[in-house]
Amino acid sequence: MEFVTKVNIDRPAFLLSHGNPIVSVGSCFAAEMGCRLRDRLFDIDINPTGTMFNPASIADTLTRILDRDAYRPDELVKDQGGVWHLMSHHSIFSSSDPDAVIGVANARQSAAAAMLQEECAVLIVTFGSARAFRYLATGKVAGNCHKLPAREFALADLSLEEILAEWNSLITRLKSCNPSLRIIITVSPVRHKAYGLVADRLSKSTLILACHRLKAMHPGIVEYFPAYEIFTDELRDYRFYAADMVHPSDVGADYVFERFADTYLNPGEQDLCRRCLSLTRRLSHRRLGERNAQAIEFEEETTRQAEALAALSPRITKAIQLLKKEK
């Protein structure tokens, strides 16, 4: 007996492996999926400008990455608290030191640009909302409003035609710059309750339709993964949401990632993912108490596992090194 309505996912035109360099851009759900790939030691750059929700801001970010159009001091905006912001970036880039904002933004841009040029690179894009806020001082869609006064922005709902025109042109450019690049697009299941649930459902519908049109326009290059549909149709229960009743809980996000892995990873890669995740957890382990014989044995076994996995791929080696640096 089936107790859920399974979302049918067509066989994709391509699969992922630990040999693929991956860039993930978009909503906070893009970060959720990206972190799970990173924990499994994929070589991935997650949101090089921070969290973004609307297709226009994501497209602008990718265009600047392609153009290697560096961010400039004259693009900075200073709030009343003396903090400098880039309207194209999440507030995690903001600082009281304007040079630090520009320096970090351009470093992240350069890293993402290099990765997207690599052989067999994969771009994962997650749209969050078709609703955008245009910053009146520049006339450009803001990636983040940084809690600036509402009077400084104009609300705009991006139309299907606008999204398709911008993204069809962008994907064509991406293919031209790197013919081996493959793209996975998806729509975040996170609901934007502040917009009103009816307006949010209309927004999601626009995004889903845009994704399917883009896939049809670029067959074999663009794939659509139904994260939104999986969450709303297979996980029809608030127990899969976090306490805010808006974002997926860890269990819900884990389930969607499992469906993603079943779609884009072959059995061998999934087995490798389990080994990589085991190592990630060992590296995250914090020793309590003195460094006794048991602790030394644990450390030595962790080192053996890390060396065995690193020997499989230079990208896994890179992922392990970054993980150790973060820990």
Side-chain angles (χ1 to χ4, degrees), residues 9-302:
I9 303 176
D10 295 334
R11 183 182 297 275
F14 57 87
L15 298 177
L16 296 181
S17 78
H18 279 81
N20 295 116
I22 302 171
V23 176
S24 176
V25 296
S27 76
C28 49
F29 193 72
E32 289 279 0
M33 296 297 102
C35 287
R36 283 163 172 77
L37 286 168
R38 186 179 59 190
D39 286 345
R40 289 155 179 81
L41 302 183
F42 282 85
D43 184 8
I44 183 169
D45 186 337
I46 303 170
N47 277 344
T49 58
T51 304
M52 295 176 291
F53 298 100
N54 71 81
S57 293
I58 299 171
D60 181 65
T61 289
L62 290 169
T63 299
R64 293 192 70 156
I65 287 174
L66 285 176
D67 293 340
R68 296 181 184 266
D69 181 10
Y71 295 96
R72 306 178 305 276
D74 62 6
E75 295 181 81
L76 289 167
V77 175
K78 189 178 184 180
D79 67 19
Q80 292 184 340
V83 177
W84 294 92
H85 308 279
L86 281 170
M87 301 308 294
S88 53
H89 286 57
H90 189 270
S91 57
I92 58 172
F93 287 82
S94 301
S95 172
S96 57
D97 180 356
D99 292 335
V101 178
I102 296 298
V104 174
N106 285 330
R108 291 294 305 273
Q109 182 192 74
S110 295
M115 187 168 278
L116 285 175
Q117 289 297 318
E118 293 189 53
E119 187 72 18
C120 298
V122 174
L123 173 65
I124 301 176
V125 179
T126 304
F127 296 144
S129 175
R131 180 157 287 191
F133 294 86
R134 197 172 299 279
Y135 187 47
L136 296 177
T138 62
K140 295 182 178 181
V141 172
N144 194 290
C145 296
H146 301 294
K147 298 182 179 180
L148 296 176
R151 64 177 179 274
E152 297 184 20
F153 300 89
L155 176 64
D157 287 313
L158 302 175
S159 69
L160 175 63
E161 292 73 23
E162 288 176 303
I163 296 170
L164 288 177
E166 186 166 35
W167 275 85
N168 181 44
S169 176
L170 174 59
I171 292 170
T172 300
R173 277 202 65 195
L174 287 164
K175 289 194 299 183
S176 176
C177 292
N178 184 354
S180 68
L181 178 71
R182 296 295 180 263
I183 303 169
I184 300 171
I185 52 177
T186 189
V187 173
S188 169
V190 177
R191 298 179 302 165
H192 293 259
K193 190 170 62 173
Y195 301 160
L197 295 182
V198 174
D200 180 63
R201 185 60 61 92
L202 180 61
S203 168
K204 299 290 190 186
S205 299
T206 300
L207 297 177
I208 291 168
L209 187 54
C211 289
H212 284 281
R213 292 279 182 86
L214 291 170
K215 178 182 177 181
M217 290 175 176
H218 302 275
I221 304 296
V222 175
E223 283 289 324
Y224 175 69
F225 176 70
Y228 178 83
E229 294 85 343
I230 290 170
F231 205 87
T232 56
D233 285 321
E234 292 188 26
L235 304 180
R236 293 185 181 183
D237 195 311
Y238 277 108
R239 65 195 169 104
F240 296 112
Y241 283 87
D244 62 4
M245 296 293 110
V246 171
H247 292 81
S249 66
D250 286 343
V251 172
D254 284 342
Y255 180 84
V256 177
F257 181 80
E258 286 177 10
R259 296 282 271 131
F260 180 89
D262 288 342
T263 302
Y264 290 103
L265 302 176
N266 66 35
E269 283 294 330
Q270 291 196 47
D271 181 64
L272 180 54
C273 281
R274 284 186 282 271
R275 293 174 58 193
C276 290
L277 184 58
S278 175
L279 176 63
T280 298
R281 288 169 175 165
R282 293 182 75 93
L283 290 172
S284 301
H285 177 74
R286 291 187 177 184
R287 177 170 51 84
L288 299 176
E290 62 182 16
R291 189 168 178 266
N292 54 27
Q294 185 178 9
I296 293 172
E297 182 181 352
F298 182 89
E299 292 169 4
E300 290 176 345
E301 176 58 25
T302 300

